[in-house]
Amino acid sequence: MKTAIIGGGPGGYIAAVRAAQLGAEVTLIEKQYMGGTCLNVGCVPTKALIHAADLYHRIVSEAAKNGIVTGEVSLDFETMQKKKDSVVKHLVGGIGGLMKSYKVTVINGEASFKSPNVIEVKKNDGTGTEEISFDKALIASGSVPSAAPVPGYDLPGVIDSTGALSLEKIPESMCIIGGGVIGIEMAHIYQTLGTKITIVEKLPDILMNLDRDVTAAIRKIMKKNKTVIMTGTKVESIEKAPEGLAVNVTGEDGNPLQITAEKVLMCVGRRPSTDGLGLENAGISTERGRILVDENFRTDNENVYAAGDCIGGIMLAHVASAEGIAAVEHAMGRECGIDFNTVPSCVYTSPELSGAGLTEQEAERQGLDYEVGRFPLIGNGKAYIEGETAGLVKIIAGRRSGRVLGVHMCGPSATELITEGALAIKAGLTTQDLINTIHAHPTVGESVQEAAHAVFGNAMNMPPAK
Ligand code: FAD
């Protein structure tokens, strides 16, 4: 089956692998860079910089306490950026090799639909256009950063996440507009490297998709680190100022306020990238830019599927890949199925944050009869050894069924440990199942078992509940 895939991000390239595994003859068209946003200007470069920043912080704050004599520790931001670039290059190169190994034909160029079953590619090498006819096609064209349309948003010094990943020097100060995952991770990187950070968020809290206990824990830590977080605050305009830029806002109390900073970083979300795809030529509908699909990721054109950021929904790399796999499996006659209830959300701050399933606020809104178990990491030996006892593990469970409905974490390795929570929810496990599963000691993971005990008021490494 001739299968064409538009976009080489985690939605497109993983789908290409799956389609090839199922026997399809696959052509993948990518206009800019293999790996898409995720590998080039998203997940990978942010985590590479976070790794370096965290390493610096741990050396400065932990080395001496652990008997490691380092002498003066200083930052070389240029090398840090080079290391990040080399990680990206290595992983992007790996995808090229993967495509070859599955005999996927990769065409570098911009794709657009010419008709319901023909894609035209304007080739990057200047050799003109090529027409590709297909039996099935998948659009995985991703997303691009949105900008808050306030006066001054296009001034020099106003950057987006891509700009923040390629700065040549560490700014003295940065005002981050948007307290979502990307804004908070950028705040973490630059605060750790010494930038004075102010975050402006119009909603009542940062990281609104996470459980409030988790956001409260990280806000406390960020405040201690001198990051200023202004919630319920609306950006009105940006203008030039002697310090660089001034952001005019209306504060929570309705009063105007000005924040000055060397750089202003816009992290107000991303929008599907569907311009120029010629969707109208293939009978594919969109709604406010996002491609409309059914439960099998099929568009209005029965032979064309769409997955990842371009269909909106949860804009995460692992979701894009899962949707891409489900789409090509359905296209090739297999049953597809995705359980969006177990998608883990992760924030790579220090300590890390994560969540899967229902937050307590969602359980409350849905009127569920639920119980909560919380285990503070101060009671966990491994967290203490690592000097990272701020944070908690929290479990939401059905009161009568005992089933795990949500798991939320703030602590070391929270982004790794959340898979246990997602698996428990997916498998319909109860808190008793978590208790009955012997967890290794000493691990931070024991806190998941302890939070399950705490649902019954019986955490082992805590005094009795009053
Ligand atoms: P993309 O990765 O955007 O790939 C789409 C590809 O399609 C692009 O390469 C583009 O060039 C190509 N394309 C578009 N139009 C055409 C065309 N007409 N012809 C040919 N090619 C075309 N997610 C996580 O899960 N974890 C994280 O830690 C994380 N961190 C992030 C950090 C930042 C700073 C950002 C910006 C995003 C982050 N994300 C993270 C989100 C993640 O990057 C996206 O959800 C993911 O990349 C979406 O994958 P995709 O395949 O749908 O699209």
Side-chain angles (χ1 to χ4, degrees), residues 58-107:
R58 284 193 77 72
I59 293 168
V60 170
S61 65
E62 291 289 314
K65 276 188 233 167
N66 286 279
I68 299 160
V69 182
T70 55
E72 198 191 327
V73 181
S74 59
L75 284 170
D76 173 358
F77 192 53
E78 198 185 329
T79 302
M80 209 178 261
Q81 288 283 25
K82 276 190 191 146
K83 166 75 193 310
K84 179 252 314 172
D85 292 340
S86 77
V87 170
V88 169
K89 197 170 165 208
H90 174 82
L91 294 178
V92 169
I95 296 179
L98 194 66
M99 293 300 104
K100 266 196 199 123
S101 73
Y102 279 99
K103 301 194 173 31
V104 172
T105 305
V106 175
I107 303 179

Side-chain angles (χ1 to χ4, degrees), residues 6-12 29-33 35-38 41-43 46-47 109-111 140-143 161 165 182 185-186 270 273 277 307-310 315-318 320 348:
I6 300 177
I29 307 136
E30 170 52 55
K31 71 172 177 186
Q32 197 174 3
Y33 28 44
T37 303
C38 174
V41 290
C43 328
T46 45
K47 276 63 198 180
E110 184 165 0
S141 54
S143 63
S161 59
L165 288 169
I182 296 175
E185 288 187 350
M186 292 295 182
R270 295 179 62 85
S273 162
L277 281 170
D309 284 9
C310 67
M315 288 189 174
L316 288 173
H318 40 288
Y348 294 73

Side-chain angles (χ1 to χ4, degrees), residues 90-261:
H90 174 82
L91 294 178
V92 169
I95 296 179
L98 194 66
M99 293 300 104
K100 266 196 199 123
S101 73
Y102 279 99
K103 301 194 173 31
V104 172
T105 305
V106 175
I107 303 179
N108 299 311
E110 184 165 0
S112 64
F113 285 91
K114 200 170 175 202
S115 70
N117 63 344
V118 177
I119 290 170
E120 184 178 81
V121 185
K122 201 199 281 172
K123 299 220 246 171
N124 288 351
D125 62 8
T127 56
T129 59
E130 182 175 339
E131 282 187 11
I132 295 159
S133 58
F134 59 83
D135 299 312
K136 302 286 177 188
L138 172 74
I139 309 169
S141 54
S143 63
V144 288
S146 301
V150 293
Y153 80 92
D154 50 357
L155 281 170
V158 180
I159 54 176
D160 59 15
S161 59
T162 304
L165 288 169
S166 53
L167 290 175
E168 283 172 7
K169 75 179 234 321
I170 300 167
E172 290 285 320
S173 54
M174 187 184 275
C175 176
I176 300 180
I177 302 177
V181 178
I182 296 175
I184 296 300
E185 288 187 350
M186 292 295 182
H188 170 55
I189 295 171
Y190 284 102
Q191 178 277 321
T192 308
L193 301 181
T195 304
K196 182 175 170 294
I197 303 283
T198 306
I199 298 168
V200 179
E201 168 57 60
K202 73 172 179 206
L203 296 174
D205 201 354
I206 57 168
L207 302 168
M208 286 297 284
N209 62 328
L210 296 186
D211 190 274
R212 293 305 88 204
D213 275 351
V214 167
T215 48
I218 196 67
R219 280 187 77 153
K220 203 166 150 195
I221 292 159
M222 290 175 82
K223 193 172 167 192
K224 207 169 130 209
N225 291 337
K226 307 221 169 3
T227 297
V228 177
I229 301 177
M230 300 168 72
T231 48
T233 301
K234 190 167 169 265
V235 175
E236 306 292 352
S237 63
I238 306 167
E239 60 192 43
K240 283 188 184 160
E243 298 84 350
L245 293 160
V247 182
N248 298 309
V249 302
T250 303
E252 211 168 8
D253 56 6
N255 288 324
L257 206 77
Q258 193 171 69
I259 302 147
T260 52

